[in-house]
Amino acid sequence: MKLVKFVGCNGTYASFQIERKMLPNGNRFERLLVAHEGDWIGENGMMCYPEYKFYEDVQTALGKGLVFVNKEYSDLLRRSLFLYDFERTPDTEYVLSVPATGEEIYFEIYGIDHLGAKVLLLDMEL
């Protein structure tokens, strides 16, 4: 069973349907971590996306059911990391929305369990 499904692009923004079920490691799916190649946090991170000032603003405007928690840039991985929590309301639909580049840019989505373990759920170019 796939927990993350790419559902397409709306202009220059990609969306993913998230199923909040048990992770492949058998533990509860507590948080979502997005790893997007490049510096999306710096001053010019969203330069090509003038509708939004910050990466996480895309989720607020176009996504559903996920709440931004934190972000950081990893020099080691050369990726920006974004952590999201699930809204705790019944029958919530979870849709992740992010900027899409249309280039060979690495993009990963991880599920994080209640113990803090990360499980890769999706790996693609975006």
Side-chain angles (χ1 to χ4, degrees):
M1 169 183 48
K2 234 179 161 173
L3 299 179
V4 176
K5 178 183 172 190
F6 176 66
V7 292
C9 288
N10 176 7
T12 55
Y13 303 97
S15 292
F16 301 85
Q17 184 75 41
I18 311 295
E19 291 291 327
R20 189 173 183 211
K21 301 193 184 222
M22 297 300 271
L23 290 168
N25 67 359
N27 292 331
R28 290 188 320 258
F29 192 171
E30 292 294 321
R31 289 185 163 183
L32 190 77
L33 179 69
V34 174
H36 205 151
E37 182 180 8
D39 185 355
W40 292 88
I41 295 171
E43 218 174 272
N44 297 319
M46 292 293 289
M47 180 176 54
C48 296
Y49 306 86
E51 303 91 355
Y52 303 103
K53 184 173 182 178
F54 301 109
Y55 187 98
E56 60 272 18
D57 292 343
V58 177
Q59 175 61 30
T60 302
L62 303 176
K64 294 180 187 174
L66 297 169
V67 179
F68 172 72
V69 175
N70 202 1
K71 63 184 172 183
E72 69 179 57
Y73 179 74
S74 169
D75 284 321
L76 178 64
L77 300 173
R78 294 181 27 217
R79 287 173 175 50
S80 297
L81 306 171
F82 298 88
L83 182 63
Y84 294 92
D85 205 352
F86 291 97
E87 286 184 0
R88 308 276 189 223
T89 54
D91 301 321
T92 301
E93 179 183 11
Y94 303 109
V95 176
L96 173 69
S97 292
V98 299
T101 62
E103 298 178 14
E104 295 178 357
I105 303 291
Y106 293 109
F107 179 81
E108 300 148 336
I109 297 175
Y110 294 86
I112 300 178
D113 69 18
H114 64 285
L115 300 172
K118 292 181 267 321
V119 177
L120 182 63
L121 301 176
L122 180 100
D123 180 13
M124 65 184 283
E125 293 177 352
L126 185 63

